[in-house]
Amino acid sequence: MTQRAYNFNAGPSALPQEVLEKAQQQLVNFRDSGMSIMEMSHRSAIFDEVHNEAIALLKKLYAIPENYEVLFLQGGASLQFTMVPMNFLAADQKASYILSGSWSEKAFKEAKLFGTPVEVASTKDNQYRNIPALEDIHFNEEDAYVHITSNNTIYGTQWREFPETENIPLIADMSSDILSKPIDIQKFGLIYAGAQKNLGPSGVTVVIIRKDLLEKANKNIPTMLKYTTHADSNSLYNTPPTFGIYMLGEVLKWVEAKGGVAEIEKHNELKAKVIYDAIDNSNGFYKGHAVPESRSLMNITFRVTDEELEKQFLTEAKAAGFVGLNGHRSVGGCRASTYNAVPLEACEALRDFMVDFQQKHQA
């Protein structure tokens, strides 16, 4: 087999090699059925077991209380930008949106179609280099909900602490850091996340939603856009992304085998430190985008201070087997996405490449 690439893609991103190899072994004949899991009915007993195993394991790993539902949907986080206000923001209501990057801007824009989203904090004026300070954020107790994006893939920032919203439901887009560290689920009314960064392949969207919110949701919207439709049918109202759910379950088993989310967090901290140290110890040759107290453990964004050298850096990195190091097309620069499945060895290899490149080209 060709040597595995050093995969730093922002999404779809690296999957655990053990999971890929297991899927390869099971691809043609899943559990002695004579079929691939991609060929069998989503109503079959075999798939029902796979589906429920994945739900149960996610609840276990994240200590999700009984008063929450776990849903497997489609459409990515981008559809959730619409579903959230469609279900919970009436035309005469306001909701608080905290802007910390491009994806929170997109969510804010969609909410304007249904009610009145209010920008209660933003770090756009600082080029989204940091997360808003908690003491600067103020809510109205009549808000329908508060929306945040927990990790910002483009700018490389991440919430360390979440705002206290008391009786106002806190809704979070956790697409790029879900399952990367332990969180208190009970702080949130709803969490949503595309699977393609930490949970599995693209095509599955996980929603964790408090049951009392389901009871309050708008009933006068299309069937497929109601959370209650999917909660009432255990996410099997229509044909789900069966292979994606199977892979998600296998990734969850991998997380459990690694010691659970707390151990995954320790590993993520170590990986990120390896690369951040290379930036911080470069005497200005590399410059991080995010301020240190807001740095993401999932997306490490930086520039080579000389623009022409930056182009050369990315070209040589690609030739050396590093994939996905180009920054987002909207901001440029460099970005290393170090999601759960990215091994420490890949981060060490990138550090070594960065140090070597600097030694060759620093004036």
Side-chain angles (χ1 to χ4, degrees), residues 44-250:
S44 67
I46 293 177
F47 180 74
D48 193 56
E49 185 177 2
V50 168
H51 184 89
N52 290 324
E53 281 177 352
I55 292 173
L57 191 48
L58 182 57
K59 287 182 175 180
K60 177 183 177 182
L61 288 169
Y62 245 179
I64 299 173
E66 287 300 313
N67 62 322
Y68 285 77
E69 294 278 1
V70 171
L71 310 178
F72 295 148
L73 308 183
Q74 300 177 62
S78 294
L79 182 57
Q80 293 304 304
F81 298 162
T82 300
M83 281 185 69
V84 166
M86 184 178 280
N87 278 265
F88 301 119
L89 184 59
D92 60 350
Q93 285 184 305
K94 295 180 179 180
S96 289
Y97 276 71
I98 301 172
L99 305 188
S100 54
S102 299
W103 302 114
S104 54
E105 287 182 356
K106 292 176 185 292
F108 182 68
K109 178 182 176 181
E110 292 299 299
K112 292 178 181 179
L113 299 173
F114 303 98
T116 305
V118 178
E119 178 187 313
V120 295
S122 172
T123 54
K124 187 172 186 177
D125 289 346
N126 193 34
Q127 298 179 294
Y128 290 131
R129 294 181 186 276
N130 60 293
I131 295 295
L134 293 179
E135 59 269 22
D136 295 336
I137 305 170
H138 304 285
F139 311 113
N140 187 321
E141 62 182 18
E142 295 180 358
D143 285 345
Y145 57 83
V146 176
H147 183 281
I148 66 170
T149 303
S150 62
N151 184 80
N152 301 284
T153 55
I154 294 175
Y155 298 97
T157 61
Q158 184 178 27
W159 289 79
R160 292 283 183 264
E161 296 180 67
F162 298 112
E164 296 291 341
T165 59
E166 298 183 0
N167 294 324
I168 310 170
L170 179 59
I171 294 178
D173 175 1
M174 290 192 178
S175 292
S176 52
D177 66 348
I178 192 168
L179 222 65
S180 67
K181 61 179 182 178
I183 62 170
D184 181 2
I185 296 292
Q186 296 183 86
K187 283 183 175 287
F188 301 89
L190 187 153
I191 293 168
Y192 62 90
Q196 67 273 12
K197 301 174 190 291
N198 272 336
L199 294 176
S202 58
V204 184
T205 307
V206 171
V207 171
I208 303 168
I209 182 169
R210 213 170 58 215
K211 291 179 180 178
D212 68 289
L213 283 187
L214 289 169
E215 297 168 4
K216 300 173 184 176
N218 186 358
K219 297 177 176 57
N220 298 313
I221 56 177
T223 301
M224 281 297 291
L225 297 175
K226 294 178 183 176
Y227 290 112
T228 52
T229 296
H230 304 287
D232 292 345
S233 60
N234 193 31
S235 302
L236 295 169
Y237 179 80
N238 68 324
T239 306
T242 53
F243 185 75
I245 292 170
Y246 154 69
M247 287 292 287
L248 184 149
E250 293 301 321

Side-chain angles (χ1 to χ4, degrees), residues 6 8 267 271 274 322 342-352:
Y6 296 126
F8 291 98
H267 197 56
K271 293 187 302 183
V274 166
F322 296 94
V342 175
L344 174 62
E345 293 75 18
C347 298
E348 291 173 335
L350 177 57
R351 177 215 40 215
D352 294 345

